[in-house]
Amino acid sequence: SYLQTSLSIWGWGSLGLVLFLVTFGPFAIFYFAFYILCFVGGGFVVTLLFGKSNSEKYLEQCEHSFLPCTSVGIPKCIEEMKREARPIKIDRRLTGANIIDEPLQQVIQFSLRDYVQYWYYTLSDDESFLLEIRQALQYALVQFSARSKETDWQPYFTTRLVDDFGTHLRVFRKAQQRIAEKGDQMKDQAEELVDTFFEVEVEMEKEVCRDLVCTSPKDEEGFLRDLCEVLLYILLPPGDFQNKIMRYFVREILSRGILLPLINQLSDPDYINQYVIWMIRDSNCNYEAFMNIIKLSDNIGELEAVKDKASEELQYLRSLDTAGDDINTIKNQINSLLYVIKVCDSRIQRLQSGKEIDTVKLAANFGKLCTVPLDHILVDNVALQFFMDYMQQTGGQAHLFFWMTVEGYRVTAQQQLEVLQSRQKDGKHQTNQTKGLLRAAAFGVYEQYLSEKASPRVNIDDNLVAKLAETLNHEDPTPEIFDDIQRKVYELMLRDERFYPSFKQNVLYVRMLAELDMLKDPSFRGSDDGEGESFNGSPTGSINLSLDDLSNVPTDETVQLHAYISDTGVCNDHGKTYALYAITVHRRNANSEEMWKTYRRYSDFHDFHMRITEQFENLASILKLPGKKTFNNMDREFLEKRKKDLNAYLQLLLSPELMKASPALAHYVYDFLENKAYSKGKGDFARKMDTFVNPLRNSMRNVSNAVKSIPDSLAEGMTKMSDNLGKMSERFGQDIKQSFFKVPPLMQKTYSDPDHCRVAAPIDDNVDDNIPLRVMLLLMDEVFDLKERNQWLRRNIKNLLQQLIRATYGDTINRKIVDHVDWMTSPEQVADAVKRFRDAFWPNGILAETVPRRDKAIRMRTRVAGKTKLLEGMPDELKHIIGAETTRKGILRVFEMFQHSQLNKRMVYVFLERFLETLFPQNKFPELFNKLHSRSKQMQRYKQRLHSTQAPSLQK
C-alpha cells in the first residue's frame, strides 16, 4: 500500500508539472521564483522601518525619564581650543638674588628653545604647555635654592670632598698593586685595571659599587633618569609631578640634555689633560723633564705620537735652505730630534717585547753605585729614613738614635746658653734654673742609652761611660759633654761591618739613591771604602731632645675602679666656649669605698689618649677616641652622642682584661680620674723642656718685632714656630721610644686593614682640628703612600706642614678657610658659575655643537705635555723632603688615575652623590643610591664570595 501511495504522488506531481509547462511555457518557473523573492524582501523592509521608528520613540522616552543629559564631547573640546588662551603669569624670581636669576632665566629659555620648542611648534602653536614646563622648572629651582641656603657647606668642602678624593686615589693605588702582583699576563691592561678598580671599590665600600653606571651607557642613562625623577619628586608640587607628560619632558631635559653631556665632559681624560696644562701654563717645559717622561712612559701610543711628531719636524728642518750661523742651530735641533726618535724606538721595542727593566733591581745587581758619605746620610731626611730602617733590621737602632738625640741636645743647649748669656748682660739671672734643666736633660740621655738599666743599651767603651757619669755628678753639663761618646758611636757605625758598610750593599741603599735621584747622576762622590768620611759635629737641621720621665707604678689587684660620665654642659670662660664632662668615679678596695666627681674637657681626653697610646703602642689599635668636630660642636645632640662615645671609651679602658694586661696603665688612669686639675701634656721632663725653651721663645718674639721689613703674617709665623720647639722635641723622643719598645697585643680584636677601608675624616687625632694640615697630610698620605714609609719621616713631614701653615697664616687659618667657603657659595660666585655654564653650552646664545673627538695622536701628545708640566711643576723642596723617586711615582700615579674615563665618571658620581646627601639630609639618599647601584655585577660577585666564605664557618 505504501508503494502504491508513493507512485500516485509522483504520478500526480509529474502530471501537474507537464500541464504547467504546456500552459505557461518554460520561462514561467523563473518568473515564479522572482515573485516569491520580491515578496520576502518587501516584508523584511517593512518590518525594519517599523522597528526603527518604534525603537527611537522608546529610547526618547527612556532618556527623558531615566538617563542624564549627554555631553557634547568632541565639539565642546574643539570649541574650547578655539577660545583665546588666558595668559599664565610666571614669577621670574628664583633665588632671591638678581645677579643669579638673570643667567638662570637665560639657561631655562635656551633649554626650552633648543630641546622642546623646535619640535613642539610643528605640532601646535599653543604656548600654554611650554609655559607650564617653564613654571615647573622655576618652581624646582626655587625649592633647590631654598635648600641650598639652609645647608652648611663647610663640612662638605673641607672634609667629605677631600675624603672622597682620597678614597678614590686609594682604590686606584690598590688596583695598581693588585695588577702588578698578577704579572704581565693580561691582554688588555686598561680594561683589566678598570675591572680591578671596581673590584677593590666594592671591597672597600662594602655596600655599593658603581661599575654599571660608569661602564654601561644604557645603565648610566637609566641611573640619571631615576635620579632626576627623584629630584623632581622632592622639588615639584604633587600636582605637577603627577603630570606624567610634563614630568618626562623635564626629566629628559635634565638627564640627557644637561647632566649627561656635563658628566661626559668632566670625565674626558683629554679635557682634564688640557685643563691641567692650562692651569700650569706659566711654567715652561724643560728638555730634561720631557726626556724623563719619555723614558718612563709605558704607553706605546704616547711614544708613537711623539715619534711621529719628531719625524715630521725632522723632515721640515731638513727641507730648509739655510746658510751661515743658522745652519749650526738647525743641526743641533736635528740631532736632538734624532735622539728623541731613538729613545722612543728603544722604549717601544722594550715594551713590545715585555722585557721591562726595574732600574732599582738592575742597579742593585749589576750597577756600580756612587757612595753617599755617612755624614751626608745623617743630615738628609730622605737618606736618613732608609738608614734608620736598615739599622732597625740589624738591631743597631740604639746607636743611631743616640747619635741623633745627642745632636738635638747639643743644639738646644747651645741656643739656651746663648739666651742665658744675653739675659745676664741685661742683669737678669736664671743660672741655677737653666743649669738644672741642662743637667736633667743630660741625665735623661744617659739613663735612656748608656746606663745599666737602658734597654737597648749603646755598647761603647765602659771607661768613657764611667767618665761621663762622673762628669755628670760633679760638673755642670755643657753642650759638648757627649761629644767623645758620640764620636765613638759614629766611628762604630761607619766601620762596623754590620752597619754602614753592609748598608751600601743592601737594596735599601739602592732605593735611597733612587730617592736622591743619584742612580744616574750622582751628586756625591767618594771612595768605596769610606776613606772620605769625616765626622760632622752638627747637622744642618737641629733634632731636639725629648725624654719622658715616666715611672711604672704597680697596681693593686684588689682595687676596683669604675667611672662613667654622668652629665655634660657648656662653659664660657673669658669668651671661650667649650664642653665640660662630669665623670663620676667609684673606687673600691678590701677596706673602703670612695666616690667623687671630676670634670674634664674633650681636649683632656685627647691629651690622655695620646699619652697612653704613645707609651703603650698596642692600645692604639684597641682604644678609639671619638673624633673631633670643627663645626657645630656645641649642639646638644652632638654633645649627647659624644658623651655616649666617651662612656664606651671609659668602659673599655677600665675593663679588667685591659688593666691586667698592662699594669703600668693604672697609674695614668688614676692620674686622669683624680679630683684635681688635669696636668696636660707631657711627662715631667717634657714639661721642664717647655720651661727650658721659654727664653728662646721670648728672644724669637723680640727678633720678629725688631724686623719691621718682614710681613706681619711671616713675623707672626716665626713666633708660632718658636712655640712649637718644645712639642717637636718631645715628639722626636716619642718616636725613639716607639721604635725601641714593641709590646705584644693585649687581647685579640677584630682586625680591619685601614688600607681596605674608606679614607675616614679623622685621619690623625692631633691634626683633625687644623683643616689645611688635615687636608694636606691626607693627600700626601694617599698620593705618595707615606703610611707605607718610615713613620719618623711622616711625623717630620707633618711637623713641617704644620710650621709652614702657621708661618703663612697663623692661628686664623680655619677662620680663613670658613670665610673662603662662604665666598665660594656667595651669590657672586654662584652667578659666575652659572654664567660659565651658560657660555659653555650656549656660546653667544647659540647651542654649542658637539666638539669632534680630537685625533688620537694629538690626545697622546697632550698626555705627554700634561705629565711633563706636572713633573716640572713639582718644587725641588718636595723632592728633598720625601725623595725624588717617591715624588715622581706619586705625581705620575695621580696623572694616570685621570686617564681612564670610567674611573673619572666614578669620581664625578661620588661627588654628585655626596652633594645630594649634603643638600637633602632628611631624604635617605644613601639608601637610595645603594638601591640604584644594587644591580652591580661586582657587588653580586662580592656577596657570593662573602657568602661562600661565611658558609663553612656557620656550619662549624
Side-chain angles (χ1 to χ4, degrees):
S1 62
Y2 175 75
L3 180 61
Q4 291 177 354
T5 301
S6 61
L7 289 175
S8 64
I9 292 174
W10 282 102
W12 285 106
S14 300
L15 179 62
L17 180 63
V18 171
L19 292 175
F20 180 81
L21 293 175
V22 171
T23 304
F24 297 102
F27 291 101
I29 190 170
F30 295 104
Y31 293 123
F32 183 71
F34 176 73
Y35 295 149
I36 294 174
L37 180 63
C38 289
F39 176 77
V40 174
F44 179 76
V45 170
V46 171
T47 304
L48 180 64
L49 292 176
F50 179 77
K52 180 181 179 183
S53 60
N54 285 344
S55 299
E56 288 176 351
K57 292 179 182 179
Y58 180 75
L59 289 174
E60 186 176 357
Q61 293 176 359
C62 292
E63 288 177 0
H64 288 292
S65 59
F66 303 108
L67 300 178
C69 297
T70 58
S71 62
V72 293
I74 294 176
K76 186 175 182 179
C77 291
I78 295 175
E79 183 180 354
E80 289 288 338
M81 294 175 65
K82 289 180 179 179
R83 294 180 182 178
E84 292 185 4
R86 289 176 297 177
I88 301 177
K89 296 182 179 180
I90 297 180
D91 189 354
R92 300 181 67 85
R93 293 175 299 178
L94 298 175
T95 64
N98 292 331
I99 192 174
I100 302 177
D101 292 349
E102 181 181 352
L104 266 181
Q105 288 289 353
Q106 291 179 343
V107 170
I108 295 174
Q109 179 183 347
F110 293 154
S111 300
L112 293 175
R113 182 195 67 189
D114 295 324
Y115 293 113
V116 179
Q117 291 178 5
Y118 81 96
W119 58 264
Y120 177 76
Y121 282 139
T122 62
L123 304 177
S124 173
D125 295 332
D126 183 27
E127 295 188 354
S128 60
F129 175 71
L130 299 177
L131 294 176
E132 291 287 349
I133 291 181
R134 186 184 189 112
Q135 192 173 23
L137 284 173
Q138 292 193 171
Y139 184 87
L141 286 173
V142 169
Q143 296 299 315
F144 185 87
S145 173
R147 290 289 185 98
S148 300
K149 293 175 182 177
E150 297 172 358
T151 303
D152 182 11
W153 292 107
Q154 293 160 4
Y156 174 75
F157 286 107
T158 60
T159 300
R160 302 193 72 176
L161 210 63
V162 181
D163 291 346
D164 288 332
F165 179 78
T167 300
H168 187 82
L169 185 55
R170 177 177 294 181
V171 174
F172 181 77
R173 177 164 52 84
K174 291 298 177 184
Q176 279 189 324
Q177 293 175 359
R178 191 167 296 184
I179 287 180
E181 292 171 0
K182 293 180 180 178
D184 299 326
Q185 294 149 358
M186 291 84 68
K187 294 181 180 179
D188 189 347
Q189 192 168 2
E191 183 178 351
E192 182 71 15
L193 176 62
V194 172
D195 293 339
T196 307
F197 178 91
F198 289 109
E199 181 182 330
V200 176
E201 182 197 19
V202 72
E203 294 174 1
M204 190 171 293
E205 297 278 2
K206 307 296 183 186
E207 297 179 353
V208 66
C209 184
R210 303 169 182 84
D211 56 337
L212 280 183
V213 175
C214 299
T215 58
S216 171
K218 182 178 178 181
D219 290 300
E220 182 181 12
E221 292 180 6
F223 172 81
L224 289 176
R225 287 194 185 100
D226 293 340
L227 183 60
C228 290
E229 193 148 356
V230 171
L231 291 175
L232 293 177
Y233 173 78
I234 296 174
L235 299 174
L236 289 181
D240 290 343
F241 183 78
Q242 297 301 327
N243 187 339
K244 291 186 177 180
I245 296 178
M246 186 179 66
R247 185 174 84 225
Y248 291 160
F249 273 120
V250 177
R251 183 190 70 181
E252 292 299 313
I253 290 174
L254 291 176
S255 62
R256 301 197 62 183
I258 296 177
L259 286 179
L260 189 60
L262 181 62
I263 291 173
N264 287 335
Q265 183 177 17
L266 295 177
S267 305
D268 183 15
D270 189 48
Y271 172 79
I272 296 175
N273 295 339
Q274 294 179 62
Y275 188 72
V276 168
I277 295 174
W278 176 82
M279 286 182 63
I280 49 180
R281 58 191 179 278
D282 294 334
S283 65
N284 297 321
C285 295
N286 80 21
Y287 180 76
E288 182 181 357
F290 172 73
M291 292 309 301
N292 283 335
I293 291 298
I294 296 300
K295 294 173 184 177
L296 293 171
S297 175
D298 56 359
N299 188 301
I300 295 179
E302 292 179 1
L303 297 170
E304 289 180 342
V306 173
K307 176 186 172 184
D308 292 342
K309 188 64 177 178
S311 301
E312 180 183 335
E313 292 293 325
L314 186 63
Q315 292 179 0
Y316 170 75
L317 290 176
R318 285 175 171 172
S319 65
L320 295 178
D321 185 13
T322 57
D325 295 336
D326 292 340
I327 190 68
N328 294 325
T329 303
I330 291 178
K331 283 183 177 179
N332 291 333
Q333 293 177 357
I334 289 175
N335 290 332
S336 298
L337 291 173
L338 289 173
Y339 178 69
V340 171
I341 294 173
K342 180 180 178 181
V343 172
C344 289
D345 284 333
S346 175
R347 186 67 181 162
I348 291 172
Q349 292 176 5
R350 183 175 297 169
L351 292 174
Q352 289 176 340
S353 65
K355 297 179 180 179
E356 183 61 20
I357 297 176
D358 189 334
T359 307
V360 173
K361 292 181 179 179
L362 182 66
N365 294 329
F366 304 104
K368 181 175 176 60
L369 305 176
C370 62
T371 298
V372 182
L374 181 59
D375 56 346
H376 287 289
I377 292 176
L378 294 175
V379 297
D380 186 280
N381 278 334
V382 176
L384 183 58
Q385 63 161 318
F386 289 97
F387 188 57
M388 189 181 298
D389 290 341
Y390 176 78
M391 293 294 281
Q392 288 178 336
Q393 292 177 7
T394 57
Q397 69 269 29
H399 300 79
L400 177 59
F401 289 143
F402 170 77
W403 189 92
M404 296 168 66
T405 304
V406 170
E407 286 296 308
Y409 168 82
R410 179 191 297 110
V411 173
T412 306
Q414 287 175 347
Q415 292 174 344
Q416 185 58 31
L417 288 177
E418 290 175 2
V419 173
L420 179 62
Q421 291 175 1
S422 64
R423 284 181 169 272
Q424 287 177 344
K425 291 180 181 179
D426 297 337
K428 300 178 181 179
H429 299 282
Q430 290 183 338
T431 305
N432 294 332
Q433 181 183 2
T434 303
K435 290 182 178 179
L437 291 173
L438 282 176
R439 184 180 302 278
F443 267 107
V445 176
Y446 175 81
E447 292 292 334
Q448 181 72 38
Y449 298 103
L450 302 174
S451 68
E452 296 293 336
K453 299 178 182 179
S455 177
R457 183 173 182 268
V458 175
N459 295 320
I460 205 68
D461 189 356
D462 292 338
N463 293 328
L464 288 176
V465 176
K467 182 179 177 182
L468 173 64
E470 184 178 356
T471 304
L472 287 173
N473 290 325
H474 298 91
E475 298 179 13
D476 292 334
T478 63
E480 298 80 17
I481 192 170
F482 294 102
D483 280 6
D484 292 339
I485 297 180
Q486 186 189 30
R487 186 175 291 105
K488 287 292 184 181
V489 170
Y490 178 87
E491 292 177 356
L492 179 65
M493 291 190 295
L494 178 64
R495 307 297 178 184
D496 195 318
E497 286 296 328
R498 297 173 298 165
F499 303 141
Y500 178 69
S502 297
F503 173 62
K504 292 192 295 183
Q505 309 300 322
N506 193 278
V507 68
L508 287 174
Y509 184 78
V510 183
R511 292 178 182 172
M512 180 195 75
L513 294 180
E515 295 292 354
L516 296 175
D517 213 8
M518 294 173 57
L519 280 181
K520 293 187 177 180
D521 185 20
S523 57
F524 294 101
R525 299 292 181 182
S527 59
D528 291 338
D529 57 1
E531 291 179 357
E533 308 294 345
S534 62
F535 176 70
N536 187 355
S538 177
T540 56
S542 65
I543 306 170
N544 298 306
L545 169 68
S546 174
L547 297 169
D548 286 342
D549 184 15
L550 300 172
S551 59
N552 293 333
V553 179
T555 60
D556 185 0
E557 294 185 357
T558 63
V559 176
Q560 296 181 1
L561 194 66
H562 301 279
Y564 64 94
I565 299 176
S566 55
D567 199 8
T568 182
V570 177
C571 299
N572 193 308
D573 184 16
H574 300 290
K576 187 175 182 181
T577 305
Y578 56 88
L580 201 63
Y581 300 90
I583 306 175
T584 301
V585 185
H586 293 267
R587 181 177 181 178
R588 297 186 184 92
N589 55 29
N591 302 320
S592 64
E593 178 178 349
E594 297 178 80
M595 185 185 76
W596 67 87
K597 278 192 176 183
T598 186
Y599 298 88
R600 296 287 181 259
R601 297 174 57 179
Y602 175 81
S603 58
D604 298 329
F605 277 96
H606 176 266
D607 185 86
F608 168 74
H609 179 75
M610 292 298 296
R611 293 180 68 177
I612 61 175
T613 53
E614 287 165 353
Q615 294 301 318
F616 308 94
E617 185 182 9
N618 46 340
L619 289 182
S621 59
I622 300 173
L623 293 173
K624 298 298 180 184
L625 187 70
K628 292 184 179 180
K629 185 179 181 182
T630 306
F631 308 104
N632 301 325
N633 55 5
M634 293 299 158
D635 294 343
R636 191 66 197 174
E637 182 179 351
F638 172 75
L639 291 178
E640 288 298 324
K641 181 179 182 301
R642 175 171 280 180
K643 171 186 170 183
K644 180 180 177 182
D645 294 340
L646 289 176
N647 260 326
Y649 175 86
L650 278 177
Q651 303 317 309
L652 180 58
L653 176 68
L654 296 173
S655 61
E657 296 83 1
L658 199 65
M659 300 296 286
K660 289 179 181 179
S662 183
L665 178 63
H667 169 74
Y668 298 93
V669 176
Y670 293 158
D671 180 71
F672 178 73
L673 295 177
E674 281 184 3
N675 188 14
K676 64 177 184 179
Y678 179 61
S679 178
K680 277 190 181 181
K682 319 143 184 177
D684 295 333
F685 179 72
R687 287 193 292 273
K688 293 176 183 177
M689 287 299 296
D690 282 344
T691 308
F692 183 75
V693 297
N694 276 335
L696 178 60
R697 297 176 185 171
N698 296 331
S699 65
M700 288 291 289
R701 292 190 181 97
N702 294 334
V703 171
S704 63
N705 292 331
V707 184
K708 299 298 183 181
S709 59
I710 298 179
D712 293 339
S713 60
L714 184 57
E716 182 182 359
M718 292 172 62
T719 305
K720 300 298 181 183
M721 289 173 64
S722 69
D723 291 338
N724 289 329
L725 185 58
K727 296 180 181 179
M728 290 175 58
S729 65
E730 184 192 356
R731 287 172 185 151
F732 179 75
Q734 291 163 356
D735 284 337
I736 294 174
K737 292 181 180 180
Q738 290 177 6
S739 301
F740 279 162
F741 306 112
K742 302 296 182 182
V743 185
L746 297 179
M747 49 186 179
Q748 296 296 326
K749 66 181 184 69
T750 303
Y751 178 76
S752 62
D753 184 1
D755 278 343
H756 286 82
C757 302
R758 284 183 52 82
V759 175
I763 58 166
D764 200 343
D765 287 337
N766 56 346
V767 303
D768 188 50
D769 233 8
N770 190 324
I771 297 173
L773 178 60
R774 177 194 174 280
V775 170
M776 294 175 69
L777 188 59
L778 184 147
L779 293 180
M780 291 191 71
D781 273 344
E782 298 305 326
V783 172
F784 303 110
D785 201 9
L786 294 183
K787 289 187 177 180
E788 300 294 329
R789 305 287 297 278
N790 189 301
Q791 290 303 305
W792 173 85
L793 174 67
R794 186 176 181 273
R795 180 68 63 86
N796 281 348
I797 291 174
K798 186 188 73 175
N799 293 337
L800 179 64
L801 292 176
Q802 197 165 15
Q803 292 181 44
L804 176 64
I805 292 169
R806 290 189 176 182
T808 308
Y809 298 101
D811 291 334
T812 62
I813 179 64
N814 280 4
R815 181 69 256 171
K816 291 182 179 179
I817 289 181
V818 171
D819 293 341
H820 185 72
V821 172
D822 292 339
W823 173 79
M824 289 171 58
T825 56
S826 64
E828 293 78 9
Q829 292 303 308
V830 174
D832 188 56
V834 174
K835 290 177 182 178
R836 288 200 300 267
F837 174 80
R838 178 199 62 192
D839 296 339
F841 273 73
W842 293 277
N844 299 320
I846 301 173
L847 182 64
E849 297 181 358
T850 303
V851 179
R853 189 173 176 82
R854 301 202 305 168
D855 181 72
K856 181 181 178 181
I858 298 177
R859 287 186 281 116
M860 290 295 105
R861 290 197 291 271
T862 304
R863 283 183 59 168
V864 175
K867 282 196 285 189
T868 306
K869 284 271 190 180
L870 274 179
L871 209 59
E872 177 64 20
M874 283 302 101
D876 293 335
E877 291 77 11
L878 184 62
K879 300 176 184 178
H880 296 158
I881 294 172
I882 62 177
E885 187 69 14
T886 299
T887 303
R888 188 182 302 117
K889 286 182 178 180
I891 297 303
L892 295 181
R893 180 188 295 120
V894 174
F895 186 85
E896 180 63 25
M897 181 182 70
F898 287 114
Q899 304 311 307
H900 304 273
S901 59
Q902 301 95 328
L903 309 189
N904 296 337
K905 280 189 176 181
R906 187 259 178 196
M907 186 165 59
V908 173
Y909 279 117
V910 168
F911 290 163
L912 177 62
E913 291 172 12
R914 298 295 177 266
F915 174 82
L916 294 176
E917 290 172 11
T918 305
L919 188 63
F920 304 101
Q922 306 299 329
N923 293 103
K924 298 182 180 180
F925 264 97
E927 298 177 10
L928 172 67
F929 289 129
N930 289 346
K931 291 180 180 178
L932 292 179
H933 295 301
S934 60
R935 294 187 301 107
S936 164
K937 297 179 181 178
Q938 291 286 359
M939 177 62 70
Q940 294 172 3
R941 294 195 202 107
Y942 174 74
K943 290 182 178 179
Q944 291 175 357
R945 291 197 302 268
L946 196 63
H947 179 72
S948 61
T949 55
Q950 291 178 349
S953 60
L954 292 175
Q955 292 175 0
K956 291 181 181 179

